[in-house]
């Protein structure tokens, strides 16, 4: 296993379109996180899963955002009706609940025109 | 006021210098402390992880935590141009990380 994998690495879309990002965590990790990072800022928490259960959501996660982890393995983050303000790097991370150390993927960069 | 404050820099030092990076925090519930390194357009890479006050050393890196002052530091000895990156502190109260804004470090040859 080579680490956390995210796809696509870069997505350019027009305002109003829907986009979906996929994250494959490290296989033995039961926790999966989504963060958003804008230029010059630290990552901001969006949501996390323990196994298939979504345990916490940030108020940053508006109703246009939805995340799933249907079988407790990979996860998807969908943004509906994208806005220019959604342009950011979307980072996925995974960890095992016994250690707390988060390992990040390379991110999916979204550009909304 | 943000929960985690970090000087954004940029911090420019000559090769071989000792670098000190710092964060302060306000939430007493934070129990775990991490430092990440992030190169441009890449994901953050975990450098150091600690959960107790005191020092933890790993090669050229030393992480220091002072819970009584709510202050953490990362020291880099013998800095190299390859250390040029953004350094993020992160803190965990048990379920998710809260990050500082990052300090951009430039090590000049």
């Amino acid at each position: 296993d080579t680490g956390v994998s995210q796809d696509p690495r870069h997505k350019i879309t027009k305002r109003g379109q829907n986009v979906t990002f996929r994250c494959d965590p490290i296989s033995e990790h039961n926790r999966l996180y989504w963060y958003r990072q804008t230029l010059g800022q630290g990552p901001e928490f969006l949501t996390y899963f323990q196994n298939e259960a979504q345990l916490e959501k940030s108020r940053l996660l508006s109703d246009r955002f939805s995340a799933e982890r249907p079988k407790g393995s990979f996860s998807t983050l969908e943004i509906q009706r994208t806005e220019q303000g959604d342009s950011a790097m979307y980072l996925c991370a995974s960890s095992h609940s016994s250690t707390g150390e988060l390992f990040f993927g390379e991110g999916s960069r979204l550009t909304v025109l | 006021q943000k929960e985690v404050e970090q000087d954004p820099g940029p911090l420019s030092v000559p090769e071989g210098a000792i670098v000190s990076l710092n964060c302060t925090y306000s939430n007493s519930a934070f129990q775990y402390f991490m430092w990440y390194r992030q190169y441009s357009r890449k994901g953050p890479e975990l450098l150091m992880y600690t959960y107790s006050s005191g020092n933890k050393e790993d090669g050229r890196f030393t992480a220091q935590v002072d819970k009584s002052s709510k202050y953490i530091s990362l020291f880099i000895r013998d800095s190299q141009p390859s250390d040029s990156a953004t350094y993020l502190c992160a803190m965990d109260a048990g379920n998710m990380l809260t990050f500082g804004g990052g300090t951009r470090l430039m090590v000049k040859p």
Side-chain angles (χ1 to χ4, degrees):
Chain A
D1 192 303
T2 57
V4 178
S5 176
Q6 291 189 246
D7 184 69
R9 291 292 312 280
H10 193 185
K11 177 74 175 178
I12 301 172
T13 191
K14 292 183 179 179
R15 189 175 52 188
Q17 298 295 304
N18 299 345
V19 297
T20 300
F21 300 115
R22 176 180 169 124
C23 173
D24 288 90
I26 294 171
S27 58
E28 61 267 28
H29 286 177
N30 59 345
R31 285 188 173 180
L32 186 149
Y33 298 78
W34 286 99
Y35 280 79
R36 180 171 69 186
Q37 187 177 26
T38 53
L39 200 61
Q41 303 296 316
E44 295 175 295
F45 171 78
L46 292 178
T47 189
Y48 94 95
F49 295 83
Q50 180 153 315
N51 301 312
E52 63 275 10
Q54 189 172 17
L55 296 186
E56 192 158 342
K57 292 198 296 186
S58 164
R59 58 181 178 275
L60 291 175
L61 213 66
S62 76
D63 56 5
R64 296 185 298 106
F65 287 70
S66 62
E68 294 182 344
R69 195 184 183 197
K71 297 181 180 178
S73 57
F74 74 92
S75 175
T76 57
L77 176 69
E78 182 184 17
I79 308 173
Q80 295 182 324
R81 304 181 304 281
T82 52
E83 302 173 355
Q84 287 184 325
D86 297 331
S87 295
M89 174 83 91
Y90 290 85
L91 292 163
C92 177
S94 69
S95 74
H96 196 281
S97 51
S98 63
T99 68
E101 297 172 68
L102 262 66
F103 295 89
F104 282 84
E106 296 285 32
S108 292
R109 181 172 298 278
L110 174 65
T111 302
V112 182
L113 301 176
Chain B
Q1 183 187 6
K2 292 183 179 179
E3 281 190 293
V4 181
E5 298 279 0
Q6 187 174 6
D7 187 332
L11 180 62
S12 181
V13 301
E15 183 176 354
I18 296 174
V19 175
S20 172
L21 304 166
N22 311 296
C23 287
T24 58
Y25 63 96
S26 57
N27 187 348
S28 299
F30 289 139
Q31 296 296 320
Y32 306 96
F33 305 91
M34 283 158 250
W35 285 95
Y36 284 83
R37 177 174 62 197
Q38 187 173 29
Y39 293 112
S40 181
R41 298 184 176 270
K42 299 286 189 180
E45 171 194 6
L46 181 63
L47 281 178
M48 300 286 284
Y49 173 83
T50 184
Y51 53 85
S52 59
S53 284
N55 293 352
K56 180 178 181 180
E57 190 172 318
D58 184 1
R60 296 185 295 111
F61 299 92
T62 299
Q64 189 175 79
V65 174
D66 182 346
K67 288 186 179 181
S68 62
S69 300
K70 296 189 178 68
Y71 188 89
I72 70 169
S73 298
L74 178 71
F75 298 96
I76 307 174
R77 290 184 299 280
D78 187 26
S79 56
Q80 303 295 309
S82 59
D83 295 327
S84 298
T86 296
Y87 290 80
L88 298 155
C89 63
M91 307 181 187
D92 186 355
N95 55 358
M96 66 170 186
L97 290 186
T98 301
F99 283 85
T103 299
R104 193 155 68 92
L105 172 67
M106 294 183 292
V107 181
K108 297 186 175 180

